[in-house]
Amino acid sequence: MCFQLQPEIEQKEGISLSFHLSRILPYIVVVWDKPYFYALGKFKNSMQEFGRDWESMLEQIALEGIKDFSDRTWQFQEVPLTETVSGNVISLLAYQVLKTSKPYPFSSITALSKNGVQVRREAKFWAEPIEIDGTLQAAITLTFKSKFLLTKTLADFYLNHPDKDNPEKLLIDLNVRSLSGDIQGNGTITQLIKEPSLIHKQKLIHLAKSEISKQALQDHLSNKFLVAVKFGKGKKLYEYGITALRPCVTSETASKFGVNWGDLLKETKIPYKKRTELLATYKEEAKNALNNYGFELGLSINSRHYPDSFWQPQVPIENTPLLFGNGFIGVQSKILTGLSKGGVYRRHKKFSDPSRLIRITVLNLCEVGLDYFIEQLKERLKSYKFESLFVINSISLKNLSGTQARAKVEEVVNELMEIPPEIVLAFLPQSDRNADEEEGGSLYHKIYDLLLSRQIASQMIYEDTLKNPDYYKYKNILNQVVPGILAKVGNLPFVLAEPLPIADYFIGLDISRESKTKLSGTVNACASIRLHGKQGEFIRYRLEDALIEGEEIPKRVLEKLLPAKELQGKTVLIHRDGYFCGQEVANLLEWAEAIGCKLILVECRKSGSPRLYNFVNKTITAPEKGLALRISSTEAVLVTTQVTEEIGLADPLRLTVITANHPALISPPIEQVVEITLKLTLLHHGALKMPRLPMTVYGAHKTAKLRLRGIYPSSMLEGDCQFWL
């Protein structure tokens, strides 16, 4: 059945209402696909009373306390199904069947159980229609996740713990979840209400929505104390009896439950053979549940049956030619060879004279011997055709408080500015790694701020990295650090040897979000844009000075970040980290038309993508870097990382090309966008390992996070040195 509501309903309401209808209606699932709802019955007679009972169904939802719908009045109208239902709607209906079926169709598999703490494998799935031979076919993505679960209630944990005589120490700040699910997500216990009065408890019982919560407020433990829980960033506290809550297992609380956090994390890594078995199990369970509603589950999307749906670069991505100095051509796997034989592709103008020294100040805050390391660093720079001058400052922070240490560091850094260096190499105590959780912050960000505000680059190294003075270990550190030093002071170590097609410039846009510490919501900042040329070469960055609210980059900011003089008459590919929001696309196209340039707009999303696998000897294995699945003519998922079995499985990027009927917008084949994005991951100059993201948006999130902390080159919002590496 297809139906609609009057007045018309918005997307968020439509999705929410369809879920609640699917939950309360026996043998019927409902989905929303603008502007209609679609309902599917398990039996032929399931739908007969649907339209007639519409009002009573809404009343039932309202009675259950779904506040979004308790005061709404709609008129129900059936819409004749005159056309074939789309692949998107079929996919959504299949997803809703799996999500709301009772009993739940997927088994939960326990991988580890110790002291009541379990690591469980659970199915993860969503609607994912896919274009096959030009037609959108119904499909779902099926994968799985590992999660931690404590089988004990909070009451069990409390009663059996040695510290039960001190409930404040044991329970305050503990993360918990509601057993009834009346509030989703984790909460934190903030206080205890000791010996609550009968009147107070009766009031809470009257307000409670679930039987679990009501019973917990009436048992004998609730006479001793109740707990007040804060969920999210809201100020409101919810009072519970402790039998209605379950503790959450986190890195901070694992030891309280007698388990090692590292052991739990290890169990979340699933071997490939086990992945094969799990996928087969979950697919069979999905098949059985979907069969009840008349669906047939077909083949998994694979390259044997659907070869046109998969893409790989003609040349392995690691063998893409890179251009170094003096015309030397190398590859990503031999970057150090390229630097040794050719030098950097482009020296910064201040180092155009090869005899010009890189002045490096060393700030030793951890009392580790550095003579040998500095000697090796100097030799490595020389092998890349750069002379250097080191000025070493050793500062003891022994017996200083955090505040005193930060003050001492600021004093020393200010003294260094009498003869400013090009870069400061800071060696930090290991204890500073987690100091940002403290109110005063870390020495890392203190130094970063002091230097960046003066347009001076920095490179931080923690003391544990240097504790073993082994030559080969030092060699590995130098391999990572030296190219980054060269790039941070403005040099360009290498570029792509061959120009990228379809665009003259490549740009990245990002919004970084950070939760407010004491209020609900988030503070947002617009990250920098980075301008890259046809060979992927970094040209310039620009930072937006003003903080912004919400998800959308305002029109004035977009126009400010896209220079008319430089982009006029050019084609520009813009990677947006995440979705384009609000009026961003419309505003970009309006500006492009005004300044006379063409745009290719690409969303680059880091989550919510199907996992891709290789399949060897009837067992799935890790996908190769560069493997892509074509979802449609405008969308693909792309593997940009290679990870070991011990770490997990590569999480692909999802690339979506924006289409619209506009003279300033170009929509190239998705395969070209995939190849360009992949090649732009080769140009990370701060490390030898390829990043997951293309360099247009890599580090933009970090830049915005620093901006939120007030750390940015305030007197220079535009520059040509990659300080964020």
Side-chain angles (χ1 to χ4, degrees):
M1 173 188 279
C2 178
F3 64 93
Q4 66 182 141
L5 302 180
Q6 295 294 337
E8 285 193 8
I9 195 167
E10 295 296 322
Q11 177 171 322
K12 187 177 179 181
E13 285 183 321
I15 293 172
S16 179
L17 181 56
S18 64
F19 169 73
H20 289 296
L21 285 170
S22 300
R23 188 171 53 82
I24 68 169
L25 293 171
Y27 313 121
I28 294 176
V29 290
V30 182
V31 299
W32 186 82
D33 188 52
K34 188 176 183 178
Y36 300 128
F37 289 87
Y38 293 84
L40 174 68
K42 186 174 182 179
F43 305 109
K44 286 185 178 180
N45 60 356
S46 299
M47 313 298 290
Q48 291 177 356
E49 303 297 321
F50 187 87
R52 192 188 316 168
D53 290 346
W54 169 253
E55 289 186 2
S56 63
M57 292 170 199
L58 278 186
E59 286 175 8
Q60 185 175 343
I61 291 175
L63 286 172
E64 289 189 8
I66 311 300
K67 62 181 181 179
D68 293 342
F69 310 114
S70 58
D71 59 350
R72 299 298 298 270
T73 302
W74 286 298
Q75 287 185 323
F76 174 91
Q77 179 184 357
E78 185 174 349
V79 177
L81 281 169
T82 56
E83 298 179 3
T84 303
V85 178
S86 72
N88 184 55
V89 169
I90 296 296
S91 302
L92 291 170
L93 286 167
Y95 166 68
Q96 198 76 291
V97 167
L98 297 176
K99 186 177 180 181
T100 59
S101 285
K102 294 178 182 178
Y104 185 65
F106 295 111
S107 55
S108 179
I109 298 169
T110 302
L112 174 73
S113 183
K114 183 178 179 181
N115 296 339
V117 177
Q118 294 183 349
V119 178
R120 289 187 179 177
R121 319 276 195 232
E122 296 190 352
K124 187 178 179 182
F125 53 92
W126 61 87
E128 188 71 78
I130 185 169
E131 192 178 286
I132 304 288
D133 297 329
T135 303
L136 193 66
Q137 302 284 347
I140 57 168
T141 281
L142 183 59
T143 182
F144 38 82
K145 61 183 176 181
S146 297
K147 64 182 293 186
F148 305 129
L149 178 70
L150 188 70
T151 57
K152 305 172 185 176
T153 66
L154 184 61
D156 295 330
F157 169 67
Y158 163 70
L159 291 171
N160 292 289
H161 200 280
D163 290 334
K164 68 179 180 180
D165 293 334
N166 189 352
E168 285 92 349
K169 176 186 175 183
L170 182 61
L171 300 178
I172 296 297
D173 292 331
L174 194 67
N175 284 357
V176 292
R177 289 180 75 91
S178 166
L179 284 171
S180 66
D182 53 350
I183 299 179
Q184 296 296 316
N186 295 353
T188 304
I189 298 174
T190 60
Q191 58 182 274
L192 269 56
I193 299 92
K194 294 189 174 180
E195 298 180 357
S197 68
L198 181 60
I199 294 174
H200 182 69
K201 290 208 308 178
Q202 286 176 337
K203 180 182 176 182
L204 294 175
I205 292 168
H206 176 72
L207 293 172
K209 295 175 183 176
S210 72
E211 278 303 313
I212 293 176
S213 296
K214 290 178 181 179
Q215 289 295 327
L217 290 164
Q218 297 176 66
D219 65 26
H220 71 281
L221 281 172
S222 68
N223 296 326
K224 188 175 182 181
F225 62 83
L226 303 175
V227 293
V229 181
K230 185 175 78 166
F231 291 90
K233 295 293 181 180
K235 291 183 177 181
K236 185 175 180 180
L237 298 178
Y238 297 83
E239 294 180 18
Y240 285 90
I242 61 173
T243 54
L245 297 170
R246 188 190 304 279
C248 298
V249 184
T250 66
S251 57
E252 291 81 18
T253 63
S255 59
K256 288 187 176 183
F257 309 128
V259 292
N260 181 277
W261 179 248
D263 292 341
L264 295 181
L265 286 180
K266 187 177 179 181
E267 284 298 325
T268 65
K269 312 307 177 186
I270 308 172
Y272 297 138
K273 189 174 185 299
K274 191 65 181 176
R275 284 181 179 274
T276 307
E277 296 168 0
L278 282 171
L279 283 172
T281 298
Y282 287 143
K283 186 177 179 183
E284 187 64 25
E285 291 172 345
K287 177 183 175 181
N288 294 335
L290 293 171
N291 281 347
N292 290 329
Y293 282 80
F295 290 114
E296 183 179 341
L297 197 60
L299 287 170
S300 297
I301 301 297
N302 63 78
S303 57
R304 184 171 52 163
H305 293 91
Y306 307 102
D308 293 340
S309 295
F310 291 85
W311 178 92
Q312 282 183 293
Q314 292 182 345
V315 176
I317 187 61
E318 296 85 354
N319 295 336
T320 302
L322 300 176
L323 182 60
F324 295 83
N326 296 313
F328 182 83
I329 293 180
V331 293
Q332 194 271 339
S333 59
K334 297 182 178 178
I335 286 173
L336 300 178
T337 301
L339 289 172
S340 296
K341 292 189 175 181
V344 297
Y345 167 75
R346 186 184 71 202
R347 298 176 76 101
H348 193 273
K349 57 189 176 185
K350 62 187 174 187
F351 298 109
S352 57
D353 181 353
S355 64
R356 165 74 151 80
L357 298 172
I358 300 179
R359 183 180 172 85
I360 301 175
T361 293
V362 175
L363 203 55
N364 185 5
L365 305 177
C366 57
E367 300 183 5
V368 172
L370 297 177
D371 292 347
Y372 181 63
F373 182 79
I374 298 300
E375 179 187 333
Q376 294 296 312
L377 180 55
K378 194 168 187 176
E379 285 299 314
R380 179 64 65 86
L381 287 168
K382 188 172 184 178
S383 73
Y384 299 157
K385 303 173 180 59
F386 281 87
E387 298 294 334
S388 55
L389 173 66
F390 286 84
V391 177
I392 300 174
N393 291 267
S394 296
I395 299 99
S396 175
L397 302 180
K398 272 187 177 179
N399 303 321
L400 296 183
S401 67
T403 302
Q404 291 171 327
R406 290 189 297 275
K408 180 70 174 176
V409 165
E410 182 168 350
E411 177 187 343
V412 172
V413 170
N414 287 335
E415 289 173 359
L416 299 179
M417 294 308 109
E418 292 181 10
I419 307 177
E422 266 81 45
I423 187 168
V424 171
L425 192 57
F427 294 86
L428 304 174
Q430 201 63 25
S431 59
D432 192 61
R433 273 193 184 274
N434 301 314
D436 276 325
E437 304 302 320
E438 301 167 9
E439 191 172 352
S442 64
L443 295 174
Y444 180 107
H445 281 114
K446 181 71 174 177
I447 296 168
Y448 205 110
D449 185 14
L450 291 167
L451 296 173
L452 190 58
S453 62
R454 297 173 168 95
Q455 293 87 53
I456 295 175
S458 58
Q459 177 72 49
M460 313 289 183
I461 299 175
Y462 287 100
E463 64 177 313
D464 273 11
T465 311
L466 295 176
K467 275 192 173 177
N468 177 14
D470 178 84
Y471 169 76
Y472 292 102
K473 187 172 182 182
Y474 275 180
K475 183 178 179 181
N476 186 50
I477 300 167
L478 293 168
N479 291 347
Q480 302 292 330
V481 167
V482 177
I485 289 176
L486 294 176
K488 286 179 180 182
V489 299
N491 302 293
L492 199 56
F494 53 87
V495 297
L496 297 171
E498 299 171 358
L500 294 168
I502 74 175
D504 302 295
Y505 290 109
F506 301 87
I507 284 176
L509 292 174
D510 178 40
I511 288 284
S512 181
R513 290 165 288 281
E514 184 168 274
S515 298
K516 298 174 183 176
T517 52
K518 297 183 179 179
L519 299 172
S520 60
T522 58
V523 171
N524 296 332
C526 179
S528 65
I529 71 158
R530 265 75 64 77
L531 192 64
H532 292 256
K534 281 188 75 69
Q535 290 177 263
E537 68 274 20
F538 171 70
I539 299 172
R540 188 175 62 254
Y541 73 83
R542 180 169 178 82
L543 287 173
E544 167 55 25
D545 188 29
L547 290 175
I548 63 175
E549 295 181 1
E551 300 287 327
E552 183 178 351
I553 303 176
K555 185 176 184 178
R556 59 177 173 77
V557 175
L558 291 172
E559 293 182 2
K560 201 167 161 185
L561 291 173
L562 301 176
K565 182 179 179 182
E566 197 144 18
L567 303 185
Q568 185 177 15
K570 304 296 184 182
T571 298
V572 184
L573 187 149
I574 297 179
H575 279 119
R576 174 65 155 98
D577 191 354
Y579 290 99
F580 284 101
C581 299
Q583 294 299 306
E584 285 178 0
V585 170
N587 292 336
L588 281 167
L589 293 177
E590 184 181 355
W591 180 243
E593 190 172 22
I595 67 176
C597 76
K598 302 285 186 183
L599 296 182
I600 300 167
L601 302 178
V602 181
E603 292 175 341
C604 184
R605 308 202 301 276
K606 299 186 286 290
S607 60
S609 294
R611 295 298 179 96
L612 305 185
Y613 305 93
N614 277 356
F615 195 65
V616 180
N617 297 328
K618 297 184 178 181
T619 302
I620 60 172
T621 62
E624 293 177 11
K625 194 185 305 179
L627 177 64
L629 172 66
R630 186 183 189 274
I631 302 293
S632 72
S633 60
T634 59
E635 191 164 31
V637 295
L638 169 66
V639 176
T640 57
T641 52
Q642 194 87 44
V643 295
T644 64
E645 186 173 7
E646 292 74 26
I647 294 176
L649 190 74
D651 199 358
L653 300 179
R654 183 183 287 260
L655 304 174
T656 304
V657 179
I658 301 299
T659 58
N661 185 18
H662 193 284
L665 187 65
I666 299 174
S667 300
I670 187 64
E671 291 80 4
Q672 283 190 310
V673 172
V674 165
E675 185 168 12
I676 285 167
T677 304
L678 186 61
K679 286 183 175 178
L680 285 171
T681 65
L682 291 168
L683 300 175
H684 185 16
H685 300 131
L688 298 182
K689 187 179 177 182
M690 286 170 56
R692 185 182 175 204
L693 290 169
M695 288 309 295
T696 45
V697 290
Y698 174 82
H701 192 67
K702 177 183 176 181
T703 306
K705 285 285 188 186
L706 291 169
R707 172 66 187 90
L708 287 168
R709 296 174 185 270
I711 301 173
Y712 63 107
S714 54
S715 61
M716 192 178 226
L717 295 172
E718 190 170 320
D720 59 1
C721 296
Q722 302 177 74
F723 65 83
W724 54 86
L725 293 176

